Amino acid sequence: MPDRVHYHPNLIFSVGTQVVTLVDIPSFGGLVQHARGTVGVVVKAPTDHEHSYRVRFPDGFEAPLRRTEVTMLARFKEGEIGDSTHAATQVDLYERVIYRCVIGSQAYGLADAESDVDRRGIYLPTADQYWSLYGVPEQVENDKTQEAYWELQKFLVLALKANPNVLECLYTPLVEKATPLAEELLGIKTIFLSRLVYQTYNGYVLSQFKKMQADIRNKGQVKWKHVMHLIRLLLSGIGVLCDGLVPVRVDEQRERLLAIRRGEVSWEEVENWRLSLHQDFNMAFENTKLPERPDYERANAFLISARHRALSEELP
């Protein structure tokens, strides 16, 4: 079975896209020229959702149709199969959260009066939810409460790839909920640490500083909060390679990092610190005792065990 069609509600269909009408199409005399469900082709696309498409039908008839009056043929044929948003509306996946923690500035020790409380974690769907035609979303989130939870498999994959946000979830001191299954995961969290941290952390910081340097040239602006977190990420990556754990709190560098966020440190000074940290990162990479790759086998065994336990209605 081919992958599900990638679809975004704000997508503007391009010319040539086959679409299905969601309304009856009247003729000039008021009679129905084409019934709802007729296939046509977009011959003219608007630049926004306020204007109409021009759709041509097999008999040559053309009609202006708004975005709400058509959908992609491929999407129409799929229906709700594989639509995890449908599954999410049928059950409260937040009731399947096995792990919830606080990351971000609160966990780093860099919070101020305006800082949000960012909660992240893991949810484990029941076996029926996971096996259903609809599937489950890789992530559920609530913007109002600043909460986001990864489905267990997605979380494990990101952790194996040394995703900084996910690794910090495993090492944050601010844990609000952990079921026995989550406690097992925390007990084996070192299996996710490897030399991949060097490429992931270092590469991200390099790409972001390159973008900021372009912004300085073009706009003369610096997002100092973002700069602070990039420096913090370098410090964290060095700590992982040197100590074999993810340092979350930044007590020793707290004041210096906050000074960057307040814009009290010159760009030149920040750049010098960053370049020095890159050198430290290189040295840590050369001397680290971490393995080349994470322990995929143990992560896979944990996931399979969790799937078996999801057969029970009770949250493991």
Side-chain angles (χ1 to χ4, degrees):
M1 180 177 178
D3 291 340
R4 182 171 176 82
V5 174
H6 294 289
Y7 180 86
H8 191 280
N10 293 323
L11 174 70
I12 293 179
F13 305 142
S14 60
V15 172
T17 300
Q18 287 185 297
V19 295
V20 176
T21 62
L22 302 178
V23 295
D24 292 335
I25 308 300
S27 65
F28 296 112
L31 299 176
V32 175
Q33 178 79 18
H34 292 289
R36 174 180 176 175
T38 303
V39 176
V41 177
V42 174
V43 293
K44 184 177 181 180
T47 56
D48 55 50
H49 293 301
E50 300 300 319
H51 296 83
S52 298
Y53 290 89
R54 192 76 181 174
V55 177
R56 179 179 297 155
F57 297 94
D59 60 0
F61 183 82
E62 295 184 5
L65 292 170
R66 302 187 69 83
R67 178 65 178 78
T68 56
E69 297 175 325
V70 293
T71 189
M72 292 173 62
L73 173 61
R75 167 107 175 153
F76 185 80
K77 290 192 293 185
E78 285 181 343
E80 293 174 343
I81 295 175
D83 188 349
S84 60
T85 59
H86 173 84
T89 62
Q90 304 304 305
V91 294
D92 185 0
L93 294 178
Y94 290 97
E95 293 182 355
R96 300 294 301 177
V97 170
I98 62 172
Y99 183 66
R100 180 173 63 247
C101 65
V102 175
I103 62 170
S105 296
Q106 302 288 348
Y108 306 144
L110 296 171
D112 58 22
E114 298 180 356
S115 297
D116 295 323
V117 179
D118 298 315
R119 290 181 170 87
R120 298 292 183 269
I122 308 167
Y123 85 93
L124 176 69
T126 65
D128 286 349
Q129 292 164 359
Y130 185 74
W131 289 334
S132 74
L133 283 172
Y134 309 113
V136 292
E138 291 185 336
Q139 181 174 321
V140 292
E141 51 190 303
N142 187 330
D143 292 335
K144 291 183 179 179
T145 58
Q146 298 294 310
E147 292 179 85
Y149 301 94
W150 290 280
E151 197 278 323
L152 177 61
Q153 182 172 339
K154 181 65 174 182
F155 183 92
L156 296 178
V157 169
L158 290 174
L160 290 167
K161 292 180 178 180
N163 179 286
N165 290 332
V166 169
L167 292 181
E168 286 170 4
C169 282
L170 294 172
Y171 283 84
T172 176
L174 304 181
V175 176
E176 296 183 338
K177 176 180 180 179
T179 68
L181 179 62
E183 291 286 3
E184 286 183 33
L185 179 61
L186 293 176
I188 60 171
K189 60 188 177 183
T190 57
I191 70 172
F192 300 103
L193 302 184
S194 71
R195 296 187 178 207
L196 286 178
V197 165
Y198 176 77
Q199 288 85 5
T200 303
Y201 285 49
N202 217 6
Y204 178 73
V205 172
L206 285 170
S207 66
Q208 291 301 301
F209 263 89
K210 185 176 181 179
K211 290 180 180 178
M212 282 192 289
Q213 288 165 345
D215 287 340
I216 292 174
R217 289 193 302 269
N218 299 328
K219 303 176 182 178
Q221 297 178 346
V222 179
K223 296 179 180 178
W224 290 110
K225 182 178 179 180
H226 189 40
V227 173
M228 176 193 71
H229 283 301
L230 290 174
I231 294 295
R232 183 203 60 78
L233 193 61
L234 283 177
L235 291 166
S236 178
I238 294 169
V240 175
L241 295 182
C242 290
D243 303 322
L245 55 82
V246 180
V248 177
R249 290 193 62 86
V250 293
D251 296 329
E252 293 184 4
Q253 300 291 348
R254 181 176 185 274
E255 293 306 319
R256 193 174 181 185
L257 289 169
L258 289 176
I260 292 177
R261 184 170 70 183
R262 293 190 297 263
E264 298 171 357
V265 181
S266 69
W267 178 256
E268 182 179 3
E269 185 176 346
V270 170
E271 270 285 81
N272 289 336
W273 191 13
R274 176 180 74 86
L275 294 174
S276 175
L277 289 175
H278 280 304
Q279 292 180 349
D280 294 341
F281 215 159
N282 292 338
M283 185 175 298
F285 180 66
E286 292 176 3
N287 298 320
T288 187
K289 296 180 180 179
L290 290 180
E292 289 289 337
R293 292 288 185 271
D295 194 334
Y296 298 107
E297 290 74 19
R298 290 188 68 185
N300 187 58
F302 174 82
L303 177 61
I304 292 173
S305 174
R307 293 286 188 231
H308 281 295
R309 280 180 272 184
L311 285 166
S312 170
E313 293 184 2
E314 294 184 4
L315 193 64

